[in-house]
Amino acid sequence: MKEKIYLIPGLMTDERLWSKLTPYLDEKYELIHLPIPYSEDFDEINKILDEQIEDEKINLLGFSLGGYIASYYAVSNPKKIKRLFLLSSTPSSTEQKDVPRREKKLEEAREGKFTSLDEKKAIDLLEVKDDEELVRIVCDMFNELGNEAFTPQLALTLKREELFEKLNELDIPTYLFYSLEDRLLNHTSVKALEGVEHDFKINYRVGTSHNISLEVPRELSFHIENWMKI
């Protein structure tokens, strides 16, 4: 029987986020996608996820916002987590410099003023600029999820609290993997770890990619296999 890995996507992404990664891992592991519940409350999200998780102890990987959700779940249910993997993510609050822009976007979303993602914006989000299939996947995920997902997910980003200390107190192997020039990552949070004693395994790659599972799936698969050996 294959060991399971539960996967939580990020803001405005769905199971298509794992489509390039799956071929590298599906012979060894059973990958189980956990969509982000439509809620603005992390505790309610925990309850919904609990109903979907069939196992007593799990390997949990979260991408971006999903990484924070995975961290919150781990801190709330430490006995249920075997290993934790944060992909392009930190278990920290949103940087203050990003708050005003997100608050404005959230206000517009609540008023029903949802702006779809066009190809130009999608290309700007990607490290690989000339892959038409990747651009289409990113656009389709965002636009098909729409305002129904965007509003609660954006609201969640404004309710994040620092979880590093709580996570560090737990005996859970925690693995971070990110791109050095990822402008969507809270690098201040990662840098702060340099002055703190911790047991996190921190790994990075040179590049700008945030959507690592779509852009460099093979490299990511090696890190996941290393994590599964911890």
Side-chain angles (χ1 to χ4, degrees), residues 24-83:
Y24 293 104
L25 295 174
D26 62 355
E27 281 189 16
K28 290 188 176 179
Y29 310 109
E30 182 181 350
L31 304 179
I32 301 169
H33 173 71
L34 293 173
I36 297 177
Y38 288 10
S39 170
E40 296 184 18
D41 181 82
F42 286 113
D43 291 320
E44 184 181 12
I45 285 172
N46 271 354
K47 286 178 188 172
I48 296 168
L49 292 178
D50 244 355
E51 290 166 7
Q52 297 175 53
I53 294 169
E54 299 173 352
D55 305 278
E56 288 182 14
K57 211 169 174 82
I58 65 168
N59 303 302
L60 186 59
L61 183 153
F63 163 72
S64 199
L65 172 61
Y68 184 85
I69 291 170
S71 300
Y72 194 92
Y73 186 87
V75 165
S76 307
N77 306 280
K79 291 181 179 174
K80 293 187 176 181
I81 305 296
K82 195 183 292 183
R83 299 178 187 87

Side-chain angles (χ1 to χ4, degrees), residues 4-15:
K4 296 176 186 175
I5 301 175
Y6 285 82
L7 308 164
I8 305 178
L11 184 80
M12 300 305 278
T13 59
D14 58 23
E15 64 272 11

Side-chain angles (χ1 to χ4, degrees), residues 143-160:
N143 297 331
E144 289 170 25
L145 284 166
N147 203 32
E148 186 185 4
F150 185 68
T151 301
Q153 288 182 12
L154 190 61
L156 286 172
T157 70
L158 295 167
K159 295 179 178 180
R160 294 167 57 141

